[in-house]
Amino acid sequence: MKNMKKYIYYPIITLWVFFAFTSCNEEWTDEQYQHYVSFKAPMNYAKGVTDIYIKYRPNGLITYRLPVIMSGSTIKDQKTEVAIAIDSDTLKSINWEYFHNRTDLYYKELLPEYYTLESMTVEIPANQYTGLLDINFMLNNIDLVDKWVLPLTIVESPTNSYIPHPRKNYKKALLHIIPFNDYSGTYSTTTMEVGFTGSSTTINENTRTAYVEDESSVFFYAGLISNEDLNRRKYKILFRFNDDGTVTLHAPDPDINFHLLKAPTWEVAERMDPSQPYLKHKTVSIRDFQYEFDDVTTVPGTRIAYTVTGSMHMERKINIEIPDEDQAIEW
């Protein structure tokens, strides 16, 4: 009798496993999540924005393609039109959250003269998860003393064909525009010395940032003036890279009494990485410069004369297998 019970149990268990397995398979044919729509624009939480690098071209458009993603465990068999809008209010909130009363450090909304959107909608094609928003940038003469941001958001669907992602940093893209040319970036300045004019005591910093001025020029802030200094605009020093290997220095504001004592030269060196054959190291060097300038704002009514001397070096790591320059550079 005990053996008969065993034989009865086995078919029952087999049937239970069969129905459970069939039920699981049917369950996976249904949507497990919401069809949320979001931007692929991961936020730098230290800055509150997403840095995007745009090649500077003085007389041409650069198109940046921002991915718009549909989430879910199933794929839609019809196209989805996703509506996009400019989101000035979120940019205002980020500015207050990160900078409070330092309005001179606020991100500025990118002016319409610097970009165009071909459409305020993005099509996610049928049977695909991703669509692309084309943004055309025209950055000629943009002033990078200020930080420029293009704030975008995904708006509600008028036909309920999609749902904007409920998390704010997914449905919004605060694109911090960083133009670059062949000479811009972070330079090592361990061999650059800054001191009071006439004094042998000097100080230095490990790095300084060069910002795009035009296709062949960058600007640094004079001496050790910070990029967060309230009067930083006054201390712009332009470095123009000439074809003959020389560098021309110029200060737009005559009030700082800029004098070039020794004109530098520049050179580029390239080498392939010995352990990563797809990686190229490109180093730009600015050698042997010396200039003087006056600090006219730190102590009101008093000029403090500084002498700056030394060299600077900037290295880029470039993946030669990636055709798009902004993506190939390891920022």
Side-chain angles (χ1 to χ4, degrees), residues 249-266:
L249 275 63
H250 170 67
D253 193 328
D255 192 37
I256 66 171
N257 199 26
F258 173 83
H259 290 291
L260 182 62
L261 303 178
K262 184 178 182 182
T265 58
W266 70 279

PDB file of all heavy atoms in Angstrom, residues 249-266:
ATOM      1  N   LEU A 249      51.177  85.331 -26.646  1.00  0.00           N
ATOM      2  CA  LEU A 249      50.387  85.576 -25.439  1.00  0.00           C
ATOM      3  C   LEU A 249      49.809  86.974 -25.477  1.00  0.00           C
ATOM      4  O   LEU A 249      50.465  87.922 -25.926  1.00  0.00           O
ATOM      5  CB  LEU A 249      51.237  85.414 -24.172  1.00  0.00           C
ATOM      6  CG  LEU A 249      51.379  83.989 -23.611  1.00  0.00           C
ATOM      7  CD1 LEU A 249      52.082  83.070 -24.587  1.00  0.00           C
ATOM      8  CD2 LEU A 249      52.092  84.005 -22.253  1.00  0.00           C
ATOM      9  N   HIS A 250      48.564  87.092 -24.975  1.00  0.00           N
ATOM     10  CA  HIS A 250      47.879  88.386 -24.980  1.00  0.00           C
ATOM     11  C   HIS A 250      46.861  88.420 -23.856  1.00  0.00           C
ATOM     12  O   HIS A 250      46.184  87.427 -23.592  1.00  0.00           O
ATOM     13  CB  HIS A 250      47.182  88.613 -26.324  1.00  0.00           C
ATOM     14  CG  HIS A 250      46.261  89.794 -26.335  1.00  0.00           C
ATOM     15  ND1 HIS A 250      46.711  91.094 -26.221  1.00  0.00           N
ATOM     16  CD2 HIS A 250      44.897  89.871 -26.438  1.00  0.00           C
ATOM     17  CE1 HIS A 250      45.672  91.912 -26.255  1.00  0.00           C
ATOM     18  NE2 HIS A 250      44.568  91.204 -26.377  1.00  0.00           N
ATOM     19  N   ALA A 251      46.760  89.561 -23.183  1.00  0.00           N
ATOM     20  CA  ALA A 251      45.756  89.767 -22.132  1.00  0.00           C
ATOM     21  C   ALA A 251      44.728  90.777 -22.639  1.00  0.00           C
ATOM     22  O   ALA A 251      45.075  91.930 -22.909  1.00  0.00           O
ATOM     23  CB  ALA A 251      46.404  90.272 -20.851  1.00  0.00           C
ATOM     24  N   PRO A 252      43.461  90.384 -22.792  1.00  0.00           N
ATOM     25  CA  PRO A 252      42.446  91.307 -23.312  1.00  0.00           C
ATOM     26  C   PRO A 252      42.212  92.522 -22.433  1.00  0.00           C
ATOM     27  O   PRO A 252      41.887  93.600 -22.936  1.00  0.00           O
ATOM     28  CB  PRO A 252      41.187  90.439 -23.396  1.00  0.00           C
ATOM     29  CG  PRO A 252      41.690  89.036 -23.481  1.00  0.00           C
ATOM     30  CD  PRO A 252      42.933  89.014 -22.645  1.00  0.00           C
ATOM     31  N   ASP A 253      42.359  92.382 -21.107  1.00  0.00           N
ATOM     32  CA  ASP A 253      42.098  93.495 -20.199  1.00  0.00           C
ATOM     33  C   ASP A 253      43.403  94.226 -19.882  1.00  0.00           C
ATOM     34  O   ASP A 253      44.278  93.681 -19.200  1.00  0.00           O
ATOM     35  CB  ASP A 253      41.463  92.988 -18.906  1.00  0.00           C
ATOM     36  CG  ASP A 253      40.880  94.101 -18.047  1.00  0.00           C
ATOM     37  OD1 ASP A 253      41.429  95.228 -18.072  1.00  0.00           O
ATOM     38  OD2 ASP A 253      39.882  93.858 -17.349  1.00  0.00           O
ATOM     39  N   PRO A 254      43.563  95.476 -20.346  1.00  0.00           N
ATOM     40  CA  PRO A 254      44.826  96.200 -20.115  1.00  0.00           C
ATOM     41  C   PRO A 254      45.050  96.567 -18.658  1.00  0.00           C
ATOM     42  O   PRO A 254      46.173  96.919 -18.263  1.00  0.00           O
ATOM     43  CB  PRO A 254      44.677  97.453 -20.987  1.00  0.00           C
ATOM     44  CG  PRO A 254      43.198  97.658 -21.114  1.00  0.00           C
ATOM     45  CD  PRO A 254      42.596  96.298 -21.124  1.00  0.00           C
ATOM     46  N   ASP A 255      44.001  96.494 -17.836  1.00  0.00           N
ATOM     47  CA  ASP A 255      44.109  96.931 -16.447  1.00  0.00           C
ATOM     48  C   ASP A 255      45.067  96.062 -15.638  1.00  0.00           C
ATOM     49  O   ASP A 255      45.608  96.519 -14.625  1.00  0.00           O
ATOM     50  CB  ASP A 255      42.723  96.921 -15.801  1.00  0.00           C
ATOM     51  CG  ASP A 255      42.708  97.629 -14.457  1.00  0.00           C
ATOM     52  OD1 ASP A 255      43.413  98.648 -14.309  1.00  0.00           O
ATOM     53  OD2 ASP A 255      41.994  97.157 -13.548  1.00  0.00           O
ATOM     54  N   ILE A 256      45.315  94.816 -16.071  1.00  0.00           N
ATOM     55  CA  ILE A 256      46.187  93.950 -15.265  1.00  0.00           C
ATOM     56  C   ILE A 256      47.667  94.152 -15.610  1.00  0.00           C
ATOM     57  O   ILE A 256      48.534  93.480 -15.040  1.00  0.00           O
ATOM     58  CB  ILE A 256      45.802  92.468 -15.416  1.00  0.00           C
ATOM     59  CG1 ILE A 256      46.063  91.954 -16.833  1.00  0.00           C
ATOM     60  CG2 ILE A 256      44.351  92.236 -15.009  1.00  0.00           C
ATOM     61  CD1 ILE A 256      45.907  90.439 -16.973  1.00  0.00           C
ATOM     62  N   ASN A 257      47.949  95.071 -16.549  1.00  0.00           N
ATOM     63  CA  ASN A 257      49.331  95.455 -16.827  1.00  0.00           C
ATOM     64  C   ASN A 257      50.191  94.252 -17.239  1.00  0.00           C
ATOM     65  O   ASN A 257      51.299  94.048 -16.735  1.00  0.00           O
ATOM     66  CB  ASN A 257      49.949  96.144 -15.610  1.00  0.00           C
ATOM     67  CG  ASN A 257      51.179  96.964 -15.965  1.00  0.00           C
ATOM     68  OD1 ASN A 257      51.339  97.419 -17.090  1.00  0.00           O
ATOM     69  ND2 ASN A 257      52.059  97.146 -14.991  1.00  0.00           N
ATOM     70  N   PHE A 258      49.685  93.471 -18.196  1.00  0.00           N
ATOM     71  CA  PHE A 258      50.380  92.266 -18.632  1.00  0.00           C
ATOM     72  C   PHE A 258      51.601  92.612 -19.478  1.00  0.00           C
ATOM     73  O   PHE A 258      51.532  93.444 -20.376  1.00  0.00           O
ATOM     74  CB  PHE A 258      49.417  91.395 -19.454  1.00  0.00           C
ATOM     75  CG  PHE A 258      50.073  90.194 -20.102  1.00  0.00           C
ATOM     76  CD1 PHE A 258      50.265  89.028 -19.391  1.00  0.00           C
ATOM     77  CD2 PHE A 258      50.496  90.254 -21.428  1.00  0.00           C
ATOM     78  CE1 PHE A 258      50.862  87.928 -19.987  1.00  0.00           C
ATOM     79  CE2 PHE A 258      51.091  89.162 -22.033  1.00  0.00           C
ATOM     80  CZ  PHE A 258      51.275  87.999 -21.306  1.00  0.00           C
ATOM     81  N   HIS A 259      52.731  91.950 -19.175  1.00  0.00           N
ATOM     82  CA  HIS A 259      53.960  92.105 -19.970  1.00  0.00           C
ATOM     83  C   HIS A 259      54.561  90.736 -20.217  1.00  0.00           C
ATOM     84  O   HIS A 259      54.811  89.977 -19.268  1.00  0.00           O
ATOM     85  CB  HIS A 259      54.986  92.990 -19.257  1.00  0.00           C
ATOM     86  CG  HIS A 259      54.606  94.421 -19.173  1.00  0.00           C
ATOM     87  ND1 HIS A 259      54.543  95.256 -20.273  1.00  0.00           N
ATOM     88  CD2 HIS A 259      54.263  95.197 -18.105  1.00  0.00           C
ATOM     89  CE1 HIS A 259      54.183  96.471 -19.898  1.00  0.00           C
ATOM     90  NE2 HIS A 259      53.994  96.461 -18.581  1.00  0.00           N
ATOM     91  N   LEU A 260      54.822  90.433 -21.477  1.00  0.00           N
ATOM     92  CA  LEU A 260      55.487  89.179 -21.829  1.00  0.00           C
ATOM     93  C   LEU A 260      56.995  89.384 -21.780  1.00  0.00           C
ATOM     94  O   LEU A 260      57.538  90.225 -22.487  1.00  0.00           O
ATOM     95  CB  LEU A 260      55.059  88.725 -23.231  1.00  0.00           C
ATOM     96  CG  LEU A 260      55.649  87.397 -23.708  1.00  0.00           C
ATOM     97  CD1 LEU A 260      55.218  86.248 -22.817  1.00  0.00           C
ATOM     98  CD2 LEU A 260      55.265  87.138 -25.167  1.00  0.00           C
ATOM     99  N   LEU A 261      57.672  88.616 -20.935  1.00  0.00           N
ATOM    100  CA  LEU A 261      59.116  88.733 -20.776  1.00  0.00           C
ATOM    101  C   LEU A 261      59.870  87.719 -21.630  1.00  0.00           C
ATOM    102  O   LEU A 261      60.999  87.974 -22.065  1.00  0.00           O
ATOM    103  CB  LEU A 261      59.499  88.548 -19.310  1.00  0.00           C
ATOM    104  CG  LEU A 261      58.836  89.519 -18.320  1.00  0.00           C
ATOM    105  CD1 LEU A 261      59.256  89.189 -16.906  1.00  0.00           C
ATOM    106  CD2 LEU A 261      59.192  90.961 -18.664  1.00  0.00           C
ATOM    107  N   LYS A 262      59.254  86.556 -21.864  1.00  0.00           N
ATOM    108  CA  LYS A 262      59.885  85.537 -22.699  1.00  0.00           C
ATOM    109  C   LYS A 262      58.795  84.758 -23.408  1.00  0.00           C
ATOM    110  O   LYS A 262      57.923  84.166 -22.764  1.00  0.00           O
ATOM    111  CB  LYS A 262      60.750  84.594 -21.852  1.00  0.00           C
ATOM    112  CG  LYS A 262      61.516  83.565 -22.672  1.00  0.00           C
ATOM    113  CD  LYS A 262      62.395  82.699 -21.791  1.00  0.00           C
ATOM    114  CE  LYS A 262      63.188  81.705 -22.632  1.00  0.00           C
ATOM    115  NZ  LYS A 262      64.035  80.814 -21.782  1.00  0.00           N
ATOM    116  N   ALA A 263      58.835  84.743 -24.743  1.00  0.00           N
ATOM    117  CA  ALA A 263      57.816  84.061 -25.532  1.00  0.00           C
ATOM    118  C   ALA A 263      58.085  82.554 -25.544  1.00  0.00           C
ATOM    119  O   ALA A 263      59.223  82.121 -25.763  1.00  0.00           O
ATOM    120  CB  ALA A 263      57.783  84.605 -26.950  1.00  0.00           C
ATOM    121  N   PRO A 264      57.058  81.736 -25.335  1.00  0.00           N
ATOM    122  CA  PRO A 264      57.268  80.287 -25.319  1.00  0.00           C
ATOM    123  C   PRO A 264      57.210  79.671 -26.710  1.00  0.00           C
ATOM    124  O   PRO A 264      56.835  80.313 -27.696  1.00  0.00           O
ATOM    125  CB  PRO A 264      56.089  79.791 -24.465  1.00  0.00           C
ATOM    126  CG  PRO A 264      55.010  80.787 -24.727  1.00  0.00           C
ATOM    127  CD  PRO A 264      55.711  82.118 -24.932  1.00  0.00           C
ATOM    128  N   THR A 265      57.563  78.414 -26.767  1.00  0.00           N
ATOM    129  CA  THR A 265      57.383  77.588 -27.956  1.00  0.00           C
ATOM    130  C   THR A 265      56.463  76.420 -27.581  1.00  0.00           C
ATOM    131  O   THR A 265      56.202  76.177 -26.402  1.00  0.00           O
ATOM    132  CB  THR A 265      58.713  77.036 -28.473  1.00  0.00           C
ATOM    133  OG1 THR A 265      59.337  76.260 -27.425  1.00  0.00           O
ATOM    134  CG2 THR A 265      59.658  78.176 -28.865  1.00  0.00           C
ATOM    135  N   TRP A 266      55.962  75.731 -28.616  1.00  0.00           N
ATOM    136  CA  TRP A 266      55.121  74.577 -28.327  1.00  0.00           C
ATOM    137  C   TRP A 266      55.482  73.427 -29.250  1.00  0.00           C
ATOM    138  O   TRP A 266      56.044  73.610 -30.330  1.00  0.00           O
ATOM    139  CB  TRP A 266      53.640  74.917 -28.480  1.00  0.00           C
ATOM    140  CG  TRP A 266      53.175  75.155 -29.901  1.00  0.00           C
ATOM    141  CD1 TRP A 266      53.302  76.295 -30.635  1.00  0.00           C
ATOM    142  CD2 TRP A 266      52.518  74.207 -30.742  1.00  0.00           C
ATOM    143  NE1 TRP A 266      52.762  76.135 -31.886  1.00  0.00           N
ATOM    144  CE2 TRP A 266      52.267  74.859 -31.978  1.00  0.00           C
ATOM    145  CE3 TRP A 266      52.099  72.888 -30.584  1.00  0.00           C
ATOM    146  CZ2 TRP A 266      51.626  74.219 -33.044  1.00  0.00           C
ATOM    147  CZ3 TRP A 266      51.465  72.254 -31.642  1.00  0.00           C
ATOM    148  CH2 TRP A 266      51.226  72.923 -32.845  1.00  0.00           C
TER     149      TRP A 266
END
